[in-house]
């Protein structure tokens, strides 16, 4: 048993990549790990009980985190079970990003950021050209 939600999520991703687990089965597991973090953050907040003001802030933060996680699961999980929309979004995302497995697999961040990087470089070059032009005028 693993107490870390991020470690549990990594294990689920490893199982997905290894084709041991299917996406449809992984979705409720990931949602369950998010619920697990709710227990962890509440325990951490309780550790601040020695200082009243720190405890109030820590417990308030933990409660907001809990509400977000629980509401997400209570809304999204039944919706996923009824419609399969998260599974569908996953398929569309993988197809749109042209993701492949194995040695030919692109680096995910490059696939997502490359179009924006090109735009930023173009804007940066334009700004530099404008700066050079204003220096020539002086």
């Amino acid at each position: 048993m693993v107490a870390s939600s991020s470690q549990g999520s990594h294990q689920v991703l490893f199982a997905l990549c290894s084709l041991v687990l299917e996406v449809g089965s992984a979705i409720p597991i990931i949602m369950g790990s998010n619920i697990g973090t709710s227990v962890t953050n509440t325990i951490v907040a309780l550790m601040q009980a020695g200082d009243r003001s720190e405890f109030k802030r820590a417990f308030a933060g933990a409660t907001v985190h809990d509400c977000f996680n629980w509401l997400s699961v209570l809304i999204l999980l039944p919706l996923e079970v009824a419609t399969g929309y998260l599974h569908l979004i996953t398929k569309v995302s993988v197809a749109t990003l042209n993701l492949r497995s194995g040695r030919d697999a692109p680096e995910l961040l490059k696939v997502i950021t490359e179009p924006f990087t090109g735009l930023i470089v173009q804007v940066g070059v334009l700004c530099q050209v404008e700066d050079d032009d204003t220096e020539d005028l002086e």
Side-chain angles (χ1 to χ4, degrees), residues 57-106:
R57 288 196 326 261
F59 202 76
T63 303
V64 169
H65 185 264
D66 294 348
C67 288
F68 177 79
N69 281 344
W70 280 100
L71 286 173
S72 294
V73 171
L74 290 173
I75 293 169
L76 298 179
L77 189 58
L79 199 56
E80 170 61 22
V81 170
T83 64
Y85 85 100
L86 286 173
H87 194 187
L88 178 66
I89 289 173
T90 303
K91 283 183 179 180
V92 170
S93 298
V94 169
T96 303
L97 294 173
N98 194 24
L99 297 177
R100 298 174 304 279
S101 62
R103 293 183 187 254
D104 297 332

Side-chain angles (χ1 to χ4, degrees), residues 46-67:
L46 291 172
M47 294 295 116
Q48 306 303 318
D51 182 351
R52 191 172 189 91
S53 66
E54 282 185 22
F55 175 70
K56 285 174 79 173
R57 288 196 326 261
F59 202 76
T63 303
V64 169
H65 185 264
D66 294 348
C67 288

Side-chain angles (χ1 to χ4, degrees), residues 5-137:
S5 64
S6 60
Q7 182 62 34
S9 298
H10 284 103
Q11 290 175 349
V12 170
L13 289 174
F14 181 74
L16 281 168
C17 293
S18 302
L19 302 176
V20 174
L21 190 63
E22 300 216 5
V23 173
S25 301
I27 291 170
I29 295 170
I30 295 293
M31 288 186 177
S33 72
N34 283 338
I35 295 301
T37 63
S38 297
V39 174
T40 305
N41 71 37
T42 302
I43 292 169
V44 170
L46 291 172
M47 294 295 116
Q48 306 303 318
D51 182 351
R52 191 172 189 91
S53 66
E54 282 185 22
F55 175 70
K56 285 174 79 173
R57 288 196 326 261
F59 202 76
T63 303
V64 169
H65 185 264
D66 294 348
C67 288
F68 177 79
N69 281 344
W70 280 100
L71 286 173
S72 294
V73 171
L74 290 173
I75 293 169
L76 298 179
L77 189 58
L79 199 56
E80 170 61 22
V81 170
T83 64
Y85 85 100
L86 286 173
H87 194 187
L88 178 66
I89 289 173
T90 303
K91 283 183 179 180
V92 170
S93 298
V94 169
T96 303
L97 294 173
N98 194 24
L99 297 177
R100 298 174 304 279
S101 62
R103 293 183 187 254
D104 297 332
E107 293 182 35
L108 182 59
L109 288 178
K110 281 188 179 179
V111 171
I112 294 170
T113 59
E114 202 167 86
F116 299 107
T117 305
L119 291 173
I120 292 169
V121 170
Q122 289 174 357
V123 169
V125 169
L126 288 175
C127 291
Q128 187 176 13
V129 168
E130 287 178 8
D131 288 343
D132 291 344
D133 288 343
T134 55
E135 287 176 4
D136 291 340
L137 293 175

